[in-house]
Amino acid sequence: MALVLTLLSLGVRIYSYALIAYILMSWVPSIQQSSFGKFLGRICEPYLEPFRKIIPPLGMIDISPIVAIFVLNLAMTGIYYIANIVL
């Protein structure tokens, strides 16, 4: 069980870093058009899209990625909590 939690935690952390990289790449459109940028777009957009539908941008600032990362970390905290109850 501890191995599964460790791997899940590592996956969530890597995905959070991928989201942050994708958000930062939106500032430089030429990087977003690279193969790495397109790869991150295919990975990150399906997760970010529901948040963008619910949370409108504030002027020119899109805060939905911040909420998405917060929800991802909140879900990981919930998984740890459930695992501690089971163990």
Side-chain angles (χ1 to χ4, degrees):
M1 183 72 166
L3 177 63
V4 172
L5 283 176
T6 302
L7 291 176
L8 187 61
S9 174
L10 180 64
V12 168
R13 187 174 307 141
I14 290 171
Y15 193 71
S16 294
Y17 291 145
L19 286 170
I20 292 169
Y22 184 69
I23 294 164
L24 292 176
M25 284 187 347
S26 70
W27 295 348
V28 183
S30 63
I31 295 175
Q32 212 171 19
Q33 299 303 319
S34 69
S35 60
F36 181 68
K38 291 178 182 178
F39 171 73
L40 280 181
R42 284 191 305 259
I43 292 173
C44 297
E45 276 302 320
Y47 179 67
L48 292 173
E49 187 177 338
F51 293 99
R52 288 190 175 135
K53 287 181 181 177
I54 296 171
I55 304 167
L58 299 174
M60 300 228 8
I61 299 174
D62 184 15
I63 63 166
S64 60
I66 297 169
V67 175
I69 292 172
F70 177 74
V71 168
L72 191 64
N73 288 328
L74 189 65
M76 194 64 224
T77 303
I79 291 170
Y80 277 134
Y81 180 75
I82 292 170
N84 284 334
I85 290 175
V86 171
L87 296 177

